[in-house]
Amino acid sequence: MKILFITDLYPVTETEKTTPRTLYDFVEGFREAGHSVDVIKPNFILNSFIRKKPFYKTGLYKDIYNINYWTPFWFNVKRKLNRKLDYDIVIAHMPSGILFANRLNLPFVAGIHNSDLTVLTSPLYRLHFKKRLEDALQNAKAIACRSEILRKKLLALYPEFEGKTFTAPSGVDENIITTSPFTPLRSPVKVLTCANFKKRKNIDKVILALKNLEGFELTVIGDGSGRKYLEKLDRNVKFTGALPHDEVLERMRGSDIFILPSINETFGMVYLEAMASGCITIATKDDGVDGIIKNQVNGFLTVPDAEEIRKLFQFIKSMDSDSLKALRCNSFSTIKQYTKTACCNHYLQQIFKIL
């Protein structure tokens, strides 16, 4: 199968650190399954500067064709491409990718992220982008929602899309799944959180929840402009700064609980990595990986409130060994279903259905 993958959420170089690699993993998985995949990255130039993202000139970078534009697709995209479009299917993620694909007159799958829901619901985009994105979703052969929560939110807005939506979650590298997930809680209980220090990540809620709570030790991985404020909340918290990915995984394997009560997450690979590392994993209710994590079955779901999180930590510490073992066993069984290979195969099967 010949696939054209279009998204601005794609690293152009191996050293690019500001762009998630989740969609890159899909492309690599499709290629490993024997399919031919070309990648186009449409880049709104002002976005590069506003969000301080790396800027690349229009052109081919190995197998990625970066296309810069000043106006929101008010140009002949086929002429800009200057290439023959001979593909069986186009997979387009993020609003810019979907709008781009809608003008190619090829069958396409629209990949839905939180940013797409923002375009569809925010007054800021009502005058122009909302209608164009709605038209594109109508024209799409299928709609791939990055999580079950996003699928539910989209269908609440557009129930008519029920028949052509499916979930397209990411998966972890099989090699990082721990072989001994059933260890008892340490003393003190080691708690880990990891994120860029954005307000919506709610790291402050975790720190306040554990402040002066006996029997727990918190480590915070990450960095950002709010670090000094967070450090002042509790001097006993260990801040490591940003760490390489392999070191993050090592810290996870040495922790009992991973928590990130973040909101407005499209998915959240870090939760799956924590589960793969043997952590009891806590995510936010009605967000991100809710649906993969089931409360008190294979992990916990909470709200971003310090007092509620504090109660949850106390509850976990009070659990008997059999209950903890059952929860960790369920977590281990779940993560084995969400590997890169399994998730890529699931995505491909959905595409085969529409072809």
Side-chain angles (χ1 to χ4, degrees):
M1 182 166 57
K2 296 181 70 175
I3 301 170
L4 177 61
F5 204 100
I6 307 176
T7 182
D8 62 359
L9 197 68
Y10 202 92
V12 172
T13 66
E14 286 291 327
T15 57
E16 191 174 318
K17 296 180 180 179
T18 56
T19 304
R21 298 176 69 85
T22 46
L23 298 184
Y24 171 91
D25 288 341
F26 277 125
V27 170
E28 290 301 297
F30 297 160
R31 287 172 176 161
E32 288 173 9
H35 303 283
S36 170
V37 188
D38 289 335
V39 179
I40 290 175
K41 181 173 183 174
N43 177 56
F44 182 31
I45 294 173
L46 287 179
N47 207 26
S48 292
F49 298 107
I50 292 170
R51 298 191 178 183
K52 298 180 180 179
K53 292 187 174 182
F55 176 76
Y56 306 93
K57 293 181 179 179
T58 293
L60 188 64
Y61 297 79
K62 291 187 178 179
D63 55 358
I64 303 158
Y65 192 55
N66 185 74
I67 299 179
N68 294 317
Y69 62 93
W70 286 103
T71 54
F73 300 103
W74 294 332
F75 58 77
N76 187 322
V77 295
K78 287 188 177 181
R79 188 173 64 190
K80 189 87 171 179
L81 281 172
N82 193 27
R83 59 165 67 181
K84 184 179 180 181
L85 298 178
D86 180 22
Y87 298 98
D88 298 303
I89 194 74
V90 177
I91 301 175
H93 278 253
M94 303 289 285
S96 60
I98 295 170
L99 294 178
F100 198 118
N102 193 42
R103 300 185 67 176
L104 297 181
N105 297 320
L106 291 171
F108 72 95
V109 175
I112 295 295
H113 297 238
N114 253 320
S115 8
D116 300 274
L117 292 184
T118 299
V119 171
L120 293 169
T121 57
S122 172
L124 181 65
Y125 300 100
R126 186 175 297 161
L127 290 177
H128 183 63
F129 283 108
K130 177 181 178 181
K131 181 62 168 63
R132 292 180 66 192
L133 187 56
E134 286 176 335
D135 290 343
L137 295 179
Q138 290 284 356
N139 294 333
K141 292 293 184 182
I143 300 173
C145 299
R146 293 287 283 120
S147 71
E148 183 59 27
I149 290 297
L150 284 180
R151 182 175 178 272
K152 288 178 180 178
K153 290 179 179 179
L154 178 70
L155 293 179
L157 296 170
Y158 304 96
E160 65 271 24
F161 293 154
E162 170 78 41
K164 65 176 184 178
T165 61
F166 64 92
T167 56
S170 292
V172 297
D173 186 334
E174 291 90 335
N175 295 322
I176 74 167
I177 299 177
T178 183
T179 55
S180 54
F182 310 128
T183 55
L185 293 178
R186 297 168 177 84
S187 181
V189 178
K190 292 187 180 296
V191 180
L192 183 71
T193 190
C194 175
N196 293 323
F197 295 161
K198 298 175 182 177
K199 185 176 181 181
R200 69 180 182 86
K201 301 293 184 177
N202 292 308
I203 302 295
D204 56 331
K205 307 297 193 303
V206 178
I207 294 172
L208 292 173
L210 285 170
K211 189 172 183 177
N212 299 323
L213 188 60
E214 188 176 347
F216 290 86
E217 178 183 280
L218 174 63
T219 298
V220 177
I221 299 175
D223 217 333
S225 58
R227 178 166 177 170
K228 288 184 179 179
Y229 163 72
L230 294 174
E231 287 178 331
K232 290 178 181 177
L233 293 178
D234 188 349
R235 298 295 185 185
N236 293 316
V237 174
K238 296 179 180 179
F239 285 81
T240 68
L243 296 176
H245 186 243
D246 58 344
E247 289 189 35
V248 173
L249 294 176
E250 186 178 346
R251 297 273 183 153
M252 285 178 172
R253 289 190 288 269
S255 301
D256 299 296
I257 299 172
F258 176 86
I259 179 170
L260 185 61
S262 182
I263 59 172
N264 298 325
E265 291 285 354
T266 289
F267 185 67
M269 272 297 297
V270 70
Y271 301 103
L272 297 192
E273 289 174 340
M275 293 171 75
S277 300
C279 290
I280 297 167
T281 304
I282 304 173
T284 307
K285 184 180 179 182
D286 296 327
D287 210 292
V289 293
D290 184 345
I292 294 177
I293 292 182
K294 297 178 173 61
N295 192 42
Q296 297 191 41
V297 176
N298 59 2
F300 293 93
L301 299 169
T302 188
V303 293
D305 175 82
E307 188 56 37
E308 290 300 314
I309 295 170
R310 189 181 182 90
K311 291 176 183 176
L312 179 54
F313 282 133
Q314 291 171 321
F315 174 77
I316 293 172
K317 192 178 180 184
S318 71
M319 292 174 68
D320 61 67
S321 59
D322 287 342
S323 298
L324 280 171
K325 185 175 181 179
L327 185 136
R328 281 180 147 155
C329 184
N330 291 337
S331 177
F332 190 54
S333 298
T334 298
I335 203 61
K336 288 193 289 185
Q337 300 173 45
Y338 287 90
T339 63
K340 285 183 182 180
T341 301
C343 291
C344 281
N345 287 340
H346 169 73
Y347 207 144
L348 286 169
Q349 289 304 315
Q350 300 302 317
I351 293 172
F352 292 148
K353 288 178 183 179
I354 66 172
L355 292 177

